[in-house]
Amino acid sequence: MKVYEIQSKPESGNLVLTERPQPQLAHGQVLLKMRSASLNYRDLQVLRRTYTAEQPFGIVPLSDGVGEIVALGEGVTKVKVGERVATLFMPEWQAGDLTREKANSALGGAANGILAEYVALPQDGVISVPPHLSDEEAATLPCAAVTAWHALMVGESLKAGETVLLQGTGGVSLFALQFAKMAGARIIITSSSDEKLDRARQLGAHEGINYIATPNWYKRVLELTDGRGVDHVVEVGGVGTLNHSMRAARYGGRITYIGVLTGNAGEVNVFSLIAKNIRLQGIYVGSRVMFEAMNSAIALHTLHPVVDRVFPFSEAHSAFAYMQSGQHFGKIVIRF
Ligand SMILES: NC(=O)c1ccc[n+]([C@@H]2O[C@H](COP(=O)([O-])OP(=O)(O)OC[C@H]3O[C@@H](n4cnc5c(N)ncnc54)[C@H](OP(=O)(O)O)[C@@H]3O)[C@@H](O)[C@H]2O)c1
């Protein structure tokens, strides 16, 4: 079968198309014939080898995909041949709190991912997807959508009438936009592009701020909220935007810390975190239980993920280059 591997080949962006035998199924595993996969910013970091310290070469990239079950290993009772399923970002995280063991099962990081024609996964590592979604749409759910769901809808969830601040128009932020709209919240979104802000308004954003034209965008957020600040910030920028986010949050507000688009290192003044009683919570994707709850909401509201572009399997390099360019609005998909 055809499979992409991460190898030490800077001239091809470390991404190499090669051949491997079809995987043999272990007890409890199912074989997926992949139909679509989607890219996350993390996948770019994995290729650049800036994601974690422990990244062996020879790993198959990407965590997110959808496929058809074509064979069952011994002991499989929960799924059937012919079912269309998506991958779980962390196959071991079924429910409850995250643990080191569950986190270590994440696909396409230190463990093999899914950019291969056939993939073997534990039966608990796959999940059925809402039937109204195309394969390309369903392939966008495992990481970006579950992360946005976890940030906004799990624990102290976003309520109707509250205001949420979203950063940029990438995968996580546009899912957050759609979930916030579903919840009846007011949505303020930032972007580097006025054209993307217009598209975000068409999706339901109430206010848009260009963070290039308005570098001190937190001041505009405060103006838009009569000086009060927002109830919830979905922080995908990271250290470079966190200071502004804390200024833009209301007293007693929430910041769910997700992304590292501006990096992991830098100066953060935590004074307003304390002075304003802001709750800051790290989010790492989510569990099967969260994925199932999200799927129910997506099905009920017939929500469609925002798919920007679809690339054929043979052009995976171009999909990564497109993500690197930052031109995308929403998700980038690969079709097998
Ligand atoms: N913790 C987790 O579990 C988890 C899960 C998923 C993603 N993440 C992280 O979340 C971040 C976003 O991931 P993604 O997959 O959604 O990425 P993505 O689809 O590539 O989106 C990136 C977008 O973010 C915007 N952006 C870039 N720099 C920005 C800045 N300084 N301020 C505001 N917006 C900025 C840009 O939007 P415009 O073009 O509109 O400016 C860019 O297109 C990444 O750091 C990723 O690693 C974390």
Side-chain angles (χ1 to χ4, degrees), residues 39-42 44-45 51 89-90 143-144 147 167-173 190-193 196 211 217 235-237 240-241 257-262 283-286 323 326-331:
L39 268 63
N40 293 288
Y41 184 78
R42 164 187 185 259
L44 260 188
Q45 296 176 293
Y51 184 64
F89 182 88
M90 286 174 253
C143 178
T147 301
Q167 299 170 342
T169 57
V172 172
S173 295
T190 67
S191 175
S192 57
S193 149
K196 288 183 178 180
Y211 63 79
W217 45 263
E235 176 65 65
V236 297
T241 46
Y257 196 94
I258 290 169
V260 293
L261 289 166
T262 60
I283 298 282
Y284 186 29
V285 193
M323 173 163 260
Q327 292 172 62
H328 56 293
F329 180 85
K331 296 298 297 180

Side-chain angles (χ1 to χ4, degrees), residues 108-312:
N112 273 320
I114 56 88
L115 195 54
E117 288 180 309
Y118 292 89
V119 173
L121 287 170
Q123 62 175 335
D124 287 328
V126 299
I127 183 166
S128 57
V129 286
H132 75 281
L133 299 182
S134 67
D135 291 339
E136 289 79 8
E137 290 170 333
T140 67
L141 299 179
C143 178
V146 174
T147 301
W149 180 265
H150 186 178
L152 290 180
M153 298 302 174
V154 176
E156 190 178 352
S157 63
L158 190 66
K159 293 164 201 67
E162 285 192 329
T163 302
V164 63
L165 172 66
L166 308 176
Q167 299 170 342
T169 57
V172 172
S173 295
L174 290 193
F175 274 116
L177 189 162
Q178 291 180 295
F179 297 146
K181 188 178 170 205
M182 213 185 255
R186 181 183 181 214
I187 299 155
I188 303 175
I189 190 164
T190 67
S191 175
S192 57
S193 149
D194 290 341
E195 188 251 323
K196 288 183 178 180
L197 288 174
D198 283 342
R199 291 171 73 185
R201 284 191 196 93
Q202 283 161 28
L203 278 176
H206 299 88
E207 311 283 354
I209 306 170
N210 186 317
Y211 63 79
I212 303 292
T214 311
N216 284 330
W217 45 263
Y218 71 91
K219 290 185 180 168
R220 181 69 189 133
V221 174
L222 291 173
E223 276 169 21
L224 290 169
T225 53
D226 297 326
R228 178 175 177 268
V230 299
D231 298 284
H232 195 130
V233 182
V234 178
E235 176 65 65
V236 297
V239 166
T241 46
L242 183 59
N243 287 309
H244 277 17
S245 296
M246 290 189 286
R247 292 183 182 114
R250 72 162 165 87
Y251 280 75
R254 309 178 287 279
I255 300 176
T256 36
Y257 196 94
I258 290 169
V260 293
L261 289 166
T262 60
N264 271 320
E267 275 206 13
V268 175
N269 183 343
V270 293
F271 181 72
S272 55
L273 195 70
I274 300 164
K276 290 167 80 176
N277 261 12
I278 293 169
R279 277 158 294 161
L280 177 68
Q281 192 199 338
I283 298 282
Y284 186 29
V285 193
S287 66
R288 164 187 286 276
V289 166
M290 295 177 202
F291 202 151
E292 284 169 350
M294 178 190 81
N295 278 346
S296 299
I298 288 175
L300 182 66
H301 293 266
T302 54
L303 182 151
H304 287 275
V306 180
V307 175
D308 178 303
R309 266 182 81 174
V310 181
F311 292 83

Side-chain angles (χ1 to χ4, degrees), residues 39 41 44 48 318-328 332:
L39 268 63
Y41 184 78
L44 260 188
R48 292 182 195 138
S318 305
F320 278 95
Y322 184 59
M323 173 163 260
Q324 171 90 58
S325 77
Q327 292 172 62
H328 56 293
I332 300 166

Side-chain angles (χ1 to χ4, degrees), residues 16-138:
V16 174
L17 181 60
T18 181
E19 289 277 340
R20 280 190 192 182
Q22 206 168 292
Q24 297 295 306
L25 292 182
H27 189 272
Q29 283 190 329
V30 300
L31 187 67
L32 291 192
K33 185 174 191 313
M34 297 307 297
R35 292 184 180 172
S36 282
S38 78
L39 268 63
N40 293 288
Y41 184 78
R42 164 187 185 259
D43 302 312
L44 260 188
Q45 296 176 293
V46 170
L47 269 198
R48 292 182 195 138
R49 300 181 62 73
T50 57
Y51 184 64
T52 60
E54 297 137 27
Q55 274 183 238
F57 283 115
I59 289 292
V60 178
L62 299 198
S63 55
D64 291 16
V66 72
E68 180 184 338
I69 297 179
V70 292
L72 306 178
E74 266 183 57
V76 172
T77 55
K78 296 177 182 171
V79 291
K80 293 194 178 67
V81 167
E83 272 184 53
R84 180 178 76 144
V85 291
T87 53
L88 283 195
F89 182 88
M90 286 174 253
E92 298 292 325
W93 194 7
Q94 300 291 306
D97 286 342
L98 184 59
T99 62
R100 185 190 303 273
E101 291 69 32
K102 293 173 188 176
N104 284 345
S105 71
L107 303 177
N112 273 320
I114 56 88
L115 195 54
E117 288 180 309
Y118 292 89
V119 173
L121 287 170
Q123 62 175 335
D124 287 328
V126 299
I127 183 166
S128 57
V129 286
H132 75 281
L133 299 182
S134 67
D135 291 339
E136 289 79 8
E137 290 170 333

